[in-house]
Every structure is written in structure tokens, then in C-alpha cells.
Amino acid sequence: MKLNQTTDYALRILIFLASKPEELHSIETLSRIYRLPHSSLMKIVSELVRQGFVTSVRGRYGGIKLGQAASEITVGQVVRDMEESFKVANCGECVIQPQCALQEVFVEAVNAFLSVLDRSTIADLIRDKTGLVPLLTLSKEVDNL
């Protein structure tokens, strides 16, 4: 199963915010660090705010930060909330669909996949902050782009 780009970016955003929870961060900073389009990040952050994973502060000194503790956000919940569908195959128009048990196998596989993701939180993904934080910091070279 492959996650959509929105889910991928949402997880990256949450990892970044969890790695520096004491600060407000701009979408522009995220865009530069991850080298992702600002407009795409705006849409994803809006959805993360709507879901309660992220809090947005408006104004000149505003920005975004985690809306909950990183230890309370499971990877599985983020994936469920960001993915549009978990259909592995399009069984609806298949001639054998009424008698085929493959769809049940796919449902079981997706449930197992999500169960594994439910065992990890965003906090689990940032255990080694000493190695992660430098990778998520704008260098002077990137900052001058």
C-alpha cells in the first residue's frame, strides 16, 4: 500500500513541529526545509488544524505548532485522517466480485497495516532529536534561496 503525498507531507510537518515544540513555525520555513511547494503545505496545514493535530496562531508573530502532545498523536490516526481511501483494488466492477473473498483479504491487510501504525506516535518518530534537529534547521545556504 502506498500513502498519498498529502499524508506523507502531513507526517513530515508533524515530525518537524514535534522536534521543536516550544516554537511557532512558519509554513515558509517548512517549505524551505522540506523543499515543498508553499501552496501544497498551506492546504495540508489547514487540514491538520481542522483535525486538531496542529494549532495556528494568526498575526505578525504567528505560526503553527502541535495542537496536542506528540505522544498523543498516533501515526495511524494521521494516516486515517489524511488518506482519502484504503481501497487496495477496484473490486466493484469485477465479474467475480460477488463470489470472491479477495476483498476480505484486502480489508484484513489494511486493518493490520493500520494496527501497526497505531503502535507508533509522532513522539516515537523523533526519539533521536540530536540527529534529527540539525537536519530540520535552515542552513544559511538554504535561507538565502
Side-chain angles (χ1 to χ4, degrees), residues 30-87:
L30 287 164
S31 178
R32 287 180 169 181
I33 287 172
Y34 284 127
R35 298 182 185 115
L36 298 172
H38 187 273
S39 58
S40 297
L41 290 177
M42 285 290 294
K43 291 176 189 173
I44 296 165
V45 166
S46 292
E47 182 60 23
L48 290 171
V49 168
R50 194 178 78 71
Q51 296 292 342
F53 297 123
V54 171
T55 299
S56 174
V57 177
R58 295 185 187 272
R60 183 175 184 178
Y61 300 105
I64 59 172
K65 64 180 183 174
L66 286 181
Q68 323 172 22
S71 60
E72 295 176 8
I73 304 171
T74 68
V75 175
Q77 191 58 52
V78 175
V79 169
R80 280 183 190 85
D81 289 348
M82 300 306 290
E83 285 293 312
E84 293 177 16
S85 170
F86 288 101
K87 281 188 175 182

Side-chain angles (χ1 to χ4, degrees), residues 8 42 51 74 78 115 122 133 137-138:
D8 178 16
M42 285 290 294
Q51 296 292 342
T74 68
V78 175
S115 176
I122 298 300
V133 171
T137 303
L138 282 174

Side-chain angles (χ1 to χ4, degrees), residues 11-22 34 66 69-71 75 120-133 136:
L11 289 166
R12 292 186 206 193
I13 290 166
L14 294 172
I15 288 168
F16 176 86
L17 296 177
S19 73
K20 301 176 182 186
E22 64 286 344
Y34 284 127
L66 286 181
S71 60
V75 175
S120 294
T121 66
I122 298 300
D124 295 330
L125 303 179
I126 62 161
R127 272 184 255 153
D128 181 15
K129 277 190 179 182
T130 58
L132 181 64
V133 171
L136 295 173

